[in-house]
């Protein structure tokens, strides 16, 4: 895509649950940041507030900025929000006759325990399935059947289809229809027939076919995906249409790109049809941001951590590759769309600290005070002690400099409540208890990170830790040290990482074909499967304005050992289309990956290897803005030193004096030693004793261990 | 004061076992038999009950124990006719 | 020890088990381990008592403790660092021969500090029927390889002679080898993580946390028991195998802070392999006990201490060698499970404070259906139908049970997608849905079970065979509570085709299945081209009087297809006209049904 001469700005806005963040890029200019509160359900207002906040920081008006902008990239929690608030369409579902209960039965207990923590799972009697997004009375069985080979055993009569649609649309008044028939991903003929008839007799009804939205095996997850897509379909369409309209009312004339949960962008008109694609797109953007930062800094192996107000999220980038979730869920619903794997626990800045009434043990989260009423020290009505209050008590936060001094924090009320509710029951002093809770939170996070790395056969000591989010900087030097990571990077854009990730992404279309081929198949057979997908992808990208040079096709294959259930997505490294050597390389890559992830001796090779799913990631490469590189100013950080105060230092097992720095005054090249605290307008970074901090040429803070 | 001994029965201070719905003393404290022996018993064959497969044992019965005063269902059990009642004794 | 360190170490001890479970599932890769979650991994103290139990198949937590103790006794003086032991003899500790325990001592600086133990249901154990359930077995000698304890790995060196001998006796030795390797890897990880924990916090600290957790669990459970009423509650389970009826009678007594499970009055052991040994019976008790009474208490030895069991020797729940036991896990152990669930449910329901925690019995009729035959690719495969893990939830005192909601002994089970099964095995489903009317009737309805029908499809041999260990069609086992009805029993029907190549693709419910119907329950059956196999499984028990169920709820049930109009009338007293509740007819009907209780009944 060419950048029109007069327009130099690229704007990326991410609508999160609490905040809407904006990042503005232009070649040769510093990155500008904007932040505003999110405004559900009319998210567009928050978007414009956020853009305005960035414009103001640049000394421009909102419309003035937009007039000079050539691209607007967007991620939003609108679909997640629709699911969580149960605010979607009235959906009708058509399943194969005899299997109408698929969506209600959720593969047995799977839907009953899915998404619950172990504590809740143990309490079996109190667990329940979430009510499905489609009313059970609106599920019909189509008299049709296709088998595993794609053979039509029972044809679908058009008259029958009309009858079903008559019932759902005219009698029951559904706004959206989901269609999910057995084996439709192998042979979609009957699903397509339903869509044709629906277009004819009910053109205003939003219709989703499972073979379009999630052409993957596993009818429960596929049906669930179709239902979610239908449920949030119209809302997504009107949200994006409304956004387009409001932008058109300004001087903005460029395109709108929308982030997807798999870490790629789609043009708005396409994203409008794939509401399920927007699930968790914020965190996905965050991971892309981490990957991009890693590329900039020459770090292919990253543990990306993001601590917000309510949750602590982790994802892993290995050899520059991101990992996709194998059993994605939103709320309590399973679905199967490509989605970047991000695991989380309820340990955010607003997480409430409590004592278990039965065992007397201290707990962090999962409930959160959010930002309203928020931590006690915010003075906005919070009455429960939170992690942020703990950070205050151990001296990490400066009550006078929070949010650039615009909000004064008061530690005394927090101290009193903490003493009564936490310290006294634990039989500890306020100080010791606060330190203890801090250590507990750090340990929980360490355990979570170990879980996500160990599960893949990875060793945290081989990784660099990226610390994103408002509160993360106060904990990462602690858990990073315990994990033994190589170093910690706290990026300049830490607090708006998701927005930063948006501008690091490409247009990405995901395609897949399900077919079982033995590893002994010829490369020719594999190429034959990819050929139609590649053709379709190339045509699609061409329509979107990309040429051969700006397109990139990436192949990856899901393989498994024939008698075992574990499937691994293995990237194709050889040149494509494949020759026999290239296919052999894929097979041996799979074996190496399998052994690393599942353990030595875990492969039953004698059963043979099968290829099960062929994935195509088709990229339209977008010009990425260059992160401005600043010249080094020397190692002396004294110019940024603003004082000293006591903070919790792990090595001293208590409070000890530390240097306090102002981030804005730090220069690239400056070096400082822990224990130390760096205050930025939005975040705080803590260094422990024996750690060495420095600012790189991009204004990222790097923490290294002695 | 009466204490709960099941969702359908309570025991008074003196040990009378009473129906929750109507207060009737199904088994006064000095009865020599259990409350089930003193309740109204209705027995029906399980095979043939709505929704049950025919493979179920032909002799299996459903015993329903009701309050002799108001007919409220106090408890039930399935059994082969030769088997005694299942007794629950709650001391409190 | 400060509460923070305690909390951190406790969580990390738990993580040791978690990581070991992940390893087990990863290395195994089998469907039964990964989908069915038919596994268990736990940590034990140096003396073999349960330190930390995970959410695998709960039956095994205590029997693996006994296995540890058995190994300690047998190998006294010869337990060294790097050893790994195998045990699968049901008369020593295992539940049945297919559930192979692998136990490894964990040494720190030369001292034995803990044990890790795990099991999976191996693909085959060399019993007279494939898959590990041997309904044809008449004694333990026909139930495959069985050992009271073997040292499989000695100081880190695999004993090839034992490995080869064991695999020599089983079908699919490659798959069984994989099962064993996954168990070994699991223990390796547990040992490594445990040692890492000890290195970081010190052996004394970790041991103190372990001891404290055990004390804490015992105190908390005893405290809870003191809050529950003293009394005794009875429950009875019937088991039918080929016309022989066995009874399991349980009298559970709570006195102050102890709970005793007395199985006196149960039938003598059966000639068929539904029996279980006393270790298995004890294990079966804890499957409902942990989630019902210890939902917020760590599952360890402390929670076992207040519990006693009396099981007469030679009875079906404490059988004597050489009685066959291969079907124990869906036989007597299940019955112990169900009886305990029922009795504990009644005890909880007798308490004002804990009534909400009471439940009617969940999916009690565990069945085992193994299919074997040649796949489309010509490979010989043994596979299990995972519908048995799909289960059905018992009702609560405040709400209905969860339809196809799972089962108690296996908290995180799930059933495979139809497409997964059809992709791996030469069969096709005609239908799979919730079974109307299967939930126990009550003010709160028991969760529905399900029904399926399968036909052979694309099998190179023309058909497949299946092994059915499906007791439970003669007798329901999901008892109701407080007047609630039992979940309807199972049914297994073989429908013989006329040999023609009928695809039956329009036969999407039971009524439409054409052909001669043969009820079956136990044994090996061929499913030839044109045949169909129908299976319906039990619902959960109901709670309370069906006549007290809200009329609106019954009306909605009929509309949703969970209760038939006939059942609505006969069991719930609700009359519908044109799909709408007829209030006055319903009032009459309910009054009549209630009065009938008084008329028919004679004072017992």
């Amino acid at each position: 895509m060419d950048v029109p001469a007069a327009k130099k700005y690229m704007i990326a806005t991410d609508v999160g649950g609490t905040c809407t963040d904006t990042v503005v890029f232009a070649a040769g200019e510093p990155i500008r940041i904007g932040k505003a509160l999110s405004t559900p359900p009319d998210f567009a207002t928050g978007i414009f507030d956020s853009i305005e906040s960035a414009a103001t920081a640049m000394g421009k008006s909102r419309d003035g900025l937009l007039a000079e902008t050539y691209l607007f990239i967007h991620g939003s929690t609108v679909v997640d929000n629709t699911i969580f608030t149960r605010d979607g369409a009235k959906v009708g579902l058509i399943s194969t006759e005899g299997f109408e209960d698929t969506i209600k039965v959720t593969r047995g207990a799977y839907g009953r325990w899915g998404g619950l923590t172990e504590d809740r799972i143990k309490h079996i009697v109190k667990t329940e399935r979430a009510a499905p997004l489609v009313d059970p009375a609106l599920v019909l069985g189509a008299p049709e059947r296709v088998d595993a080979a794609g053979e039509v055993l029972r044809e679908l009569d058009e008259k029958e289809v009309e009858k079903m649609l008559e019932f759902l649309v005219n009698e029951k008044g559904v706004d959206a229809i989901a269609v999910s028939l057995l084996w439709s991903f192998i042979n979609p003929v009957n699903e397509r027939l339903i869509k044709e008839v629906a277009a004819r007799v009910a053109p205003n009804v939003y219709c989703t076919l499972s073979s379009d939205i999630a052409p993957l095996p596993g009818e429960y997850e596929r049906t669930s995906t179709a239902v979610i897509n239908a449920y949030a379909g119209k809302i997504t369409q009107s949200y994006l249409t409304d956004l387009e309209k409001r932008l058109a009312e300004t001087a903005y004339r460029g395109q709108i790109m929308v982030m997807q949960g798999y870490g790629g962008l789609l043009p708005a008109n396409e994203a409008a049809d794939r509401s399920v694609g927007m699930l968790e797109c914020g965190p996905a953007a965050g991971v892309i941001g981490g990957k991009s930062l890693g590329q900039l800094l020459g770090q292919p192996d990253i543990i990306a951590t993001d601590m917000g107000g309510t949750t602590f999220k982790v994802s892993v980038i290995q050899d520059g590759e991101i990992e996709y979730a194998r059993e994605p869920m939103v709320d309590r619903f399973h679905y199967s769309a490509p989605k970047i794997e991000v695991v989380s626990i309820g340990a955010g800045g607003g997480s409430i600290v409590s004592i278990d009434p039965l065992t007397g043990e201290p707990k962090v989260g999962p409930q959160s005070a959010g930002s309203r009423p928020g931590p006690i020290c915010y003075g906005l009505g919070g009455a429960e002690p939170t992690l942020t209050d703990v950070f205050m008590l151990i001296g990490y936060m400066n009550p006078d400099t929070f949010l650039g001094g615009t909000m004064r924090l008061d530690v005394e009320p927090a101290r009193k409540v903490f003493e009564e509710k936490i310290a006294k029951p634990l039989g500890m002093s306020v100080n010791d208890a606060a330190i203890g809770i801090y250590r507990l939170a750090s340990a929980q996070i360490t355990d979570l990170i170990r879980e996500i790395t160990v599960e893949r056969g990875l060793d945290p000591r081989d990784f660099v830790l990226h610390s994103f989010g408002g509160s993360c900087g106060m904990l990462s030097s602690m858990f990073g040290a315990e994990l033994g990571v190589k170093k910690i990077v706290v990026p300049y854009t830490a607090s708006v990482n998701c927005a930063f990730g948006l501008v690091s992404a490409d247009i990405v279309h995901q395609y897949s074909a399900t077919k079982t081929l033995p590893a002994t198949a010829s490369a020719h057979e594999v190429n034959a499967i990819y050929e139609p997908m590649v053709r379709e992808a190339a045509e699609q990208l061409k329509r979107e304005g990309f040429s051969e040079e700006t397109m990139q096709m990436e192949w990856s294959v899901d393989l498994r050992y024939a008698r075992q259930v574990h499937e691994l997505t293995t990237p194709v490294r050889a040149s494509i289309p494949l020759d026999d050597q290239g296919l052999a390389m894929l097979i041996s890559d799979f074996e190496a990956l399998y052994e690393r992830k599942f353990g030595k001796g875990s492969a039953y090779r004698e059963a043979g290897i099968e290829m099960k799913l062929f994935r195509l990631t088709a990229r339209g490469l977008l010009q990425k803005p260059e992160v401005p590189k600043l010249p080094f100013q020397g190692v002396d950080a004294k110019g940024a030193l603003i004082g000293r105060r006591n903070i919790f230092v792990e090595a001293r097992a208590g409070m000890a004096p530390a240097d306090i720095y102002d981030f804005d005054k730090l220069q690239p090249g400056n070096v400082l030693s822990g224990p130390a605290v760096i205050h930025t307008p939005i975040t705080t970074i803590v260094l422990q004793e024996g750690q060495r901090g420095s600012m790189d040429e991009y204004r990222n803070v790097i923490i290294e261990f002695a | 004061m009466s204490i709960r001994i099941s969702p359908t029965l309570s025991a008074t201070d003196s040990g009378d076992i009473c129906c929750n719905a109507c207060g009737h003393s199904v088994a006064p404290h000095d009865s020599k038999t259990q409350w089930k022996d003193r309740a109204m018993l209705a027995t029906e064959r399980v095979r043939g009950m709505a929704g049950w497969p025919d493979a179920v044992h032909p002799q299996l019965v459903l015993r329903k124990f009701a309050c002799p005063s108001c007919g409220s269902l106090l408890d039930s059990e399935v059994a082969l006719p030769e088997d005694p009642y299942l007794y629950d004794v709650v001391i409190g | 020890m400060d509460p923070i360190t305690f909390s951190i170490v406790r969580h990390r001890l738990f993580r040791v088990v978690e990581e070991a479970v992940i390893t087990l599932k990863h290395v195994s890769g089998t469907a039964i381990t990964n989908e069915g979650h038919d596994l268990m991994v736990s940590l034990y103290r140096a003396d073999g008592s349960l330190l930390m139990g995970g959410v695998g198949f709960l039956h095994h937590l205590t029997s693996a403790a006994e296995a540890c103790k058995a190994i300690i006794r047998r190998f006294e003086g010869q337990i060294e660092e790097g050893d790994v032991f195998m045990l699968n003899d049901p008369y020593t500790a295992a539940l049945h021969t297919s559930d192979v325990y692998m136990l490894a001592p964990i040494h720190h600086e030369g001292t034995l500090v803990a044990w890790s133990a795990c099991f999976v249901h191996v693909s085959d154990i060399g019993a007279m029927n494939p898959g590990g359930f041997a309904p044809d077995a008449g004694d333990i000698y026909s139930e495959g390889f069985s050992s009271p304890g073997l040292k499989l790995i000695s100081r880190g060196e695999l004993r090839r002679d034992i490995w080869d001998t064991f695999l020599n006796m089983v079908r699919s030795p490659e798959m069984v080898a994989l099962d064993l390797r996954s168990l070994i890897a699991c223990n390796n990880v547990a040992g490594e993580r445990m040692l890492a924990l000890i290195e970081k916090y010190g052996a004394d600290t970790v041991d103190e946390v372990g001891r404290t957790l055990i004390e804490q669990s015992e105190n908390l459970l005893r405290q809870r028991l003191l809050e529950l009423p003293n009394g005794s509650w009875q429950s009875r389970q019937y088991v039918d195998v080929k016309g022989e009826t066995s009874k399991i009678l349980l009298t559970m007594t709570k006195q102050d802070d102890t709970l005793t499970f007395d199985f006196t009055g149960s039938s003598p052991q059966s000639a068929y392999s539904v029996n279980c040994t006393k270790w298995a019976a004890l294990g079966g008790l804890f499957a409902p006990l942990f989630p019902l009474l210890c939902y917020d208490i760590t599952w360890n030895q402390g929670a076992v201490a207040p519990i006693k069991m009396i099981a007469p020797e030679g009875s079906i729940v404490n059988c004597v060698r050489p009685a066959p036991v291969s079907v124990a896990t869906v036989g007597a152990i299940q019955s112990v499970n169900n009886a305990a669930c029922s009795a504990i449910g009644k005890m909880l329901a007798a308490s004002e404070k804990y009534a909400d925690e009471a439940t009617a019995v969940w999916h009690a009729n565990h069945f085992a259906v193994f299919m074997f035959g040649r796949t489309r690719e010509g490979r010989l495969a043994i596979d299990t139908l995972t519908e048995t893990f799909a289960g059905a939830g018992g009702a609560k005192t405040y709400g209905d049970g969860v339809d196809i909601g799972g089962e108690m002994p296996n908290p995180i089970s799930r059933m495979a997608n139809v497409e997964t099964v059809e992709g791996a095995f030469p069969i096709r489903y005609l239908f799979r849905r919730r079974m109307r009317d299967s939930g126990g009737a009550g003010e709160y309805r028991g969760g529905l079970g399900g029904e399926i029908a399968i036909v052979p499809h694309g099998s190179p041999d023309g058909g497949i065979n299946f092994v059915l260990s499906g007791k439970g069609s003669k007798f329901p086992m999901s008892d109701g509570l407080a007047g609630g009805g039992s979940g309807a029993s199972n049914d297994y029907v073989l429908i013989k085709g006329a040999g023609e190549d009928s695809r039956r693709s329009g036969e999407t419910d039971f009524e439409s299945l054409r052909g001669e119907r043969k009820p079956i329950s136990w044994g090996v059956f061929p499913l030839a081209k044109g045949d169909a196999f129908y299976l319906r499984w039990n619902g959960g028990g109901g709670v309370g009087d069906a006549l007290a169920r809200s009329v609106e709820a019954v009306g909605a049930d009929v509309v949703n297809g969970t209760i038939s109009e006939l059942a609505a009338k006969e069991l719930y007293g609700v009359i519908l006209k044109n799909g709408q509740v007829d209030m006055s007819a319903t009032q009459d009907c309910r009054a009549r049904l209630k009065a009938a209780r008084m008329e028919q009944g004679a004072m017992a």
Side-chain angles (χ1 to χ4, degrees), chain A residues 431-455:
Chain A
N431 214 43
D432 285 346
I435 289 170
I437 299 297
Y438 177 77
R439 282 181 168 146
L440 182 64
S442 176
Q444 271 177 216
I445 290 166
T446 305
D447 290 347
L448 178 71
I449 295 174
R450 282 196 47 82
E451 193 183 315
I452 195 178
T453 45
V454 161
E455 250 184 76

Side-chain angles (χ1 to χ4, degrees), chain C residues 9-258:
Chain C
V9 175
R10 175 180 69 71
H11 192 248
R12 289 186 170 174
L13 251 182
F14 171 74
R15 289 282 321 145
V16 170
V17 175
E18 283 279 286
E19 288 181 23
V21 170
I22 289 167
T23 304
L24 178 59
K25 292 169 81 168
H26 277 185
V27 178
S28 147
T30 64
I32 197 167
T33 307
N34 282 272
E35 301 270 6
H37 214 76
D38 198 351
L39 60 88
M40 187 277 314
V41 181
S42 296
L43 289 173
Y44 297 83
R45 300 190 71 216
D47 66 358
S49 53
L50 180 63
L51 171 58
M52 179 78 67
V55 282
F57 237 110
L58 302 181
H59 290 150
H60 292 269
L61 295 179
T62 50
S63 36
E66 180 53 32
C68 274
K69 295 181 184 149
I71 295 292
I72 292 168
R73 284 193 301 265
R74 177 175 288 272
F75 290 89
E76 191 187 334
Q78 297 163 45
I79 297 172
E80 297 175 286
E81 192 163 346
D83 285 351
V84 176
F85 300 89
M86 225 171 90
L87 189 160
N88 75 330
D89 172 38
Y91 288 99
T92 304
L95 301 200
H96 61 164
T97 50
S98 311
D99 293 342
V100 176
Y101 289 137
M102 198 74 78
L103 310 112
I106 300 171
H107 287 80
H108 173 70
E109 288 174 1
T111 311
L112 173 64
V113 293
W115 290 81
S116 66
C118 52
F119 100 91
V120 291
H121 180 111
V122 298
S123 312
D124 189 79
I125 194 65
M128 65 185 292
N129 304 118
F133 287 96
D136 292 341
D139 54 44
I140 188 85
Y141 307 118
S142 319
E143 297 189 332
F145 184 91
S146 170
S147 167
L150 279 169
K151 189 184 285 200
L152 177 66
I153 296 177
S154 176
R155 294 213 253 161
E157 292 290 323
L158 177 70
R159 292 203 45 187
R160 266 259 99 97
D161 53 351
I162 297 178
W163 179 269
D164 290 345
T165 302
F166 176 71
L167 292 178
N168 191 48
M169 295 186 65
V170 302
R171 305 172 187 82
S172 303
E174 344 67 43
M175 292 306 286
V176 177
L178 200 53
D179 287 329
L180 294 182
R181 267 188 256 134
S182 69
L183 294 171
I184 293 169
C186 170
N187 280 320
N188 282 344
V189 167
E192 279 164 34
R193 302 288 182 259
M194 191 63 168
L195 285 177
L197 193 62
I198 289 174
E199 301 283 71
K200 189 172 170 85
Y201 293 97
D204 289 340
T205 300
V206 175
D207 191 60
E208 194 188 324
V209 171
R211 266 186 298 112
T212 307
L213 282 171
I214 289 174
E215 268 165 37
Q216 188 188 78
S217 290
E218 184 172 345
N219 289 340
L220 289 173
L221 179 55
R222 287 193 188 275
Q223 222 169 278
R224 177 158 289 153
L225 288 173
L226 285 171
E227 290 179 321
L228 290 163
N230 281 341
S232 70
W233 295 267
Q234 289 192 317
S235 173
R236 177 177 48 226
Q237 290 274 308
Y238 295 103
V239 180
D240 166 85
V241 182
K242 295 197 173 173
E244 179 201 90
T245 300
S246 301
K247 304 173 196 185
I248 286 114
L249 180 67
L250 167 65
T251 306
M252 181 187 83
T253 305
K254 194 217 72 115
Q255 178 66 45
D256 303 326
D257 65 356
T258 63

Side-chain angles (χ1 to χ4, degrees), chain A residues 107-126:
Chain A
R107 288 177 62 188
Y110 196 28
R112 180 174 59 73
W113 55 261
L116 299 183
T117 57
E118 170 110 2
D119 282 348
R120 291 185 60 189
I121 288 174
K122 279 169 67 173
H123 203 167
I124 296 178
V125 168
K126 292 287 163 110

Side-chain angles (χ1 to χ4, degrees), chain A residues 5 73 100 200 321 337 351 383 407 425 463 475 479 509 511 515 521 546 588 595 625 659:
Chain A
I73 304 180
E100 299 89 330
R200 200 174 14 92
E321 301 278 350
S351 290
M407 180 170 182
F463 286 76
L475 268 166
F479 64 77
H509 293 274
Y511 301 86
K515 193 175 163 102
F546 295 96
S588 84
E595 179 167 307
D659 290 329

